[in-house]
Amino acid sequence: MKYTFDIVGVSPLLQFFNHEQHIWQQSSRQGVEYLGMHTCTLDTFLKSVESVPPQRGWNMDRVVDTVIKFWLNNSDSIRYWKISLSNAGKDNLLVTRLADITALQAEFESLLDK
């Protein structure tokens, strides 16, 4: 299984919480996790992937490797989002997406079909 990790944006804490509640109510949710954090550091990214439910069956070594590769290959993007999060204020989160590539593709296709 291949994974992808991306920074999606900055979101107010309550909006992110409401979005997550809505997603958890959908039974079709498979293979895509949205994670919110208050800081933009590699340690925070790695700690956030620990919260992925074990029933996903993901290979956590590969997941961690994916996050580390993202960090190493996207310094400009990381710098941009770090500044954006700082400018947004303390009641905001940096939102990232961790996904199995097949599930993410299916999610995008379902959005296009609607």
Side-chain angles (χ1 to χ4, degrees):
M1 198 177 305
K2 292 184 90 176
Y3 304 96
T4 181
F5 180 85
D6 293 299
I7 298 174
V8 178
V10 174
S11 173
L13 178 65
L14 288 176
Q15 184 177 350
F16 178 74
F17 178 76
N18 287 334
H19 180 262
E20 283 297 290
Q21 289 294 350
H22 176 72
I23 288 177
W24 275 105
Q25 293 171 353
Q26 297 175 350
S27 60
S28 64
R29 182 180 178 184
Q30 295 290 327
V32 180
E33 287 288 331
Y34 291 91
L35 308 164
M37 57 210 69
H38 288 284
T39 59
C40 183
T41 66
L42 178 58
D43 288 342
T44 306
F45 287 177
L46 293 174
K47 192 170 199 106
S48 72
V49 301
E50 292 175 0
S51 68
V52 174
Q55 65 266 29
R56 287 263 184 256
W58 287 356
N59 179 326
M60 291 310 287
D61 288 338
R62 285 191 182 164
V63 168
V64 167
D65 205 35
T66 300
V67 173
I68 291 170
K69 285 179 183 173
F70 174 85
W71 184 265
L72 294 174
N73 295 324
N74 295 283
S75 60
D76 290 340
S77 175
I78 291 165
R79 193 172 13 262
Y80 170 81
W81 288 114
K82 195 178 278 195
I83 291 168
S84 295
L85 179 62
S86 176
N87 291 340
K90 64 179 176 131
D91 293 331
N92 291 279
L93 297 172
L94 183 67
V95 179
T96 62
R97 179 183 56 227
L98 177 63
D100 139 14
I101 289 181
T102 305
L104 185 60
Q105 181 179 359
E107 184 175 290
F108 287 155
E109 288 173 358
S110 74
L111 290 173
L112 294 173
D113 287 342
K114 290 185 177 182

